Amino acid sequence: MLLYSSHITPRLRYIIDFISKELFDEPIVIIDDKEKFINDNNPKLNYSDNEFSDNEFYIKPVSLLFENDIKKQPINCFELNYHKAFFQTSGDFHLDIFAASFYLLSRYEEYLPHEKDEYNRYAYTNSLAHKENFLNQPLINIWLQEFKQALKKKFPDLIFRRSFFQFMPTYDIDVAYSYLHKGWWRNAGGLLRSIGTGEWKNAKERINVLQKKRRDPYDAYEWLDSLHLYCRLKPYYFFLVAKEQKGYDKNISPTENGLQDLIQYHAAGYTVGIHPSWQSNDDEKLLKEEIEWLEYIADKKIVHSRQHYIKLTLPETYGRLINAGIEKDFSMGYGSINGFRASVASSFFWYDLEKEKQTTLQILPFCFMDANSFYEQKFTAQQAMTELLNYYNAIKKVNGLMITIWHNHFLGTDPMFAGWKEVYEVFLKEEVYWDM
């Protein structure tokens, strides 16, 4: 399929590449040769200011993809087949799907002046998705379905790529064990605190675990193995290996044999990635050291990453990850609310707006994290199940990619998280299992 544009820009190439891979097996070819386009008799797209004939699919463009600066865009939302849309235009499709998709995928709004949350992250309340109530929808995928139907109507013989629902379970291992492998000093301090506050049950549990009379409450690893085997799933594990434990980095020391054994076990059978420490957010040297340390333990090259506390700042974070050799990042989502940060349930490559180019970093967005439901949204386990099912149904409807984040301590035996393990098990066995 040909696409005509009088101006071919990096932004246009990027978004057409994304949409082409979502809809077709063969790439859409962009040309600026008007005569060649007019004389072509195959299905074709005209993305220019002038309509040429009735045998083309015409979308009149807004200016976004032909600009090379970053500025506040004039956005007015409207309804398109009962879903939100913006960048209204004329032609065979009343949404400039290329510009609107680029705006959301590139996270254009995150480059504009905005408020930060308590962790100095981009606050979701700034986002268009939150303000216009489509944060819970994979809106780009929905638009693509509408676009596909419009193309079919215009070109009945046009062949589209078959797409399938995909589920990818991922886990952040912030604190691998509640008591084990923390060293006598941390355990002694914890025991004294429990005794001092009269928490005798916790004190007894700690002693029993350390004496190997009881499983550590954060140890859900064997249970997860059997669950993945039953559901035919290939999980990803992200390990926090901060050398110094302070602030938000409360991991077990990577020099401890217990953590090293755990990492090596998972690296042998699954994909493991780095969970960069909070301390490494502004320290590229430290980030590289943590990756190298994980590579040494796992005896594998580490190319997958997810930010601890979803501490993601554009373009700095992604720039540092690329420099450190990361190829796939799983941080695209919010650390304070569930939903679709980039309004998409598909993987995509990061477009660096400051450098105006597509990068080699593949972004795999998540829509659900247990910690958001529990700590931020104050959901019960059953409410979280309802939320999970809502995302599952929304993504399944568009044959998209569903990525969830769970933490091992939610899936163990800690009474604080009673019921969450069961929710996850039911979700996988009674829903996801039938799609794999």
Side-chain angles (χ1 to χ4, degrees), residues 216-425:
D216 190 282
Y218 288 3
D219 183 355
Y221 306 110
E222 287 184 16
W223 176 80
L224 281 171
D225 283 347
S226 63
L227 189 60
H228 297 143
L229 185 62
Y230 179 87
C231 295
R232 306 182 299 278
L233 295 171
K234 296 180 180 179
Y236 291 70
Y237 287 85
F238 296 91
F239 286 92
L240 179 63
V241 292
K243 185 177 181 181
E244 186 177 357
Q245 289 76 57
K246 65 178 183 179
Y248 296 117
D249 302 325
K250 297 178 167 53
N251 57 292
I252 293 169
S253 172
T255 61
E256 284 286 337
N257 289 335
L259 181 61
Q260 292 190 9
D261 290 345
L262 186 69
I263 292 171
Q264 289 165 3
Y265 171 80
H266 284 87
Y270 306 116
T271 302
V272 298
I274 189 72
H275 200 36
S277 69
W278 184 273
Q279 301 163 65
S280 72
N281 282 316
D282 301 311
D283 190 336
E284 192 169 315
K285 181 173 179 289
L286 183 58
L287 171 63
K288 290 180 179 179
E289 287 176 0
E290 291 179 4
I291 293 172
E292 289 171 0
W293 188 231
L294 184 59
E295 288 179 333
Y296 170 76
I297 297 171
D299 194 26
K300 282 187 175 181
K301 183 170 176 58
I302 299 300
V303 296
H304 300 79
S305 179
R306 177 157 53 228
Q307 292 297 109
H308 187 34
Y309 273 75
I310 315 300
K311 188 70 164 65
L312 171 61
T313 304
L314 294 178
E316 293 82 6
T317 301
Y318 281 161
R320 282 192 291 271
L321 291 176
I322 291 173
N323 292 338
I326 295 299
E327 298 174 4
K328 297 184 179 184
D329 181 73
F330 290 70
S331 309
M332 184 52 70
Y334 290 114
S336 52
I337 194 171
N338 287 326
F340 301 92
R341 183 169 179 167
S343 300
V344 72
S346 302
S347 64
F348 59 96
F349 287 95
W350 174 51
Y351 187 90
D352 187 339
L353 270 173
E354 287 194 347
K355 295 181 179 179
E356 288 292 355
K357 69 174 186 177
Q358 177 177 317
T359 70
T360 58
L361 184 66
Q362 187 177 11
I363 308 303
L364 293 102
F366 70 91
C367 63
F368 175 89
M369 178 165 65
D370 52 9
N372 280 343
S373 287
F374 184 81
Y375 294 111
E376 305 293 338
Q377 298 168 209
K378 311 297 182 186
F379 281 178
T380 65
Q382 193 53 52
Q383 288 173 319
M385 180 63 163
T386 300
E387 184 183 35
L388 256 180
L389 289 174
N390 286 340
Y391 290 127
Y392 166 76
N393 289 324
I395 295 171
K396 189 175 178 181
K397 192 173 182 180
V398 296
N399 288 323
L401 170 65
M402 182 177 190
I403 299 177
T404 59
I405 304 175
W406 287 79
H407 296 78
N408 55 296
H409 55 274
F410 272 80
L411 303 171
T413 57
D414 189 329
M416 180 183 290
F417 308 109
W420 288 74
K421 175 180 180 178
E422 290 74 18
V423 159
Y424 189 47
E425 182 174 20

Side-chain angles (χ1 to χ4, degrees), residues 167-181:
F167 177 76
M168 189 179 293
T170 71
Y171 306 93
D172 287 349
I173 313 302
D174 300 345
V175 184
Y177 299 99
S178 182
Y179 306 124
L180 292 176
H181 311 298

Side-chain angles (χ1 to χ4, degrees), residues 37-83:
F37 177 80
I38 291 174
N39 292 328
D40 187 88
N41 294 320
N42 296 304
K44 54 190 178 182
L45 294 160
N46 179 0
Y47 189 62
S48 71
D49 290 332
N50 299 304
E51 190 171 2
F52 302 138
S53 68
D54 290 334
N55 65 345
E56 65 187 18
F57 193 98
Y58 179 60
I59 299 176
K60 185 177 178 64
V62 300
S63 62
L64 179 64
L65 299 184
F66 307 104
E67 299 170 354
N68 55 16
D69 56 355
I70 305 170
K71 61 187 179 184
K72 186 176 175 61
Q73 295 292 323
I75 293 180
N76 296 297
C77 284
F78 65 99
E79 293 289 324
L80 178 71
N81 295 327
Y82 309 104
H83 294 286

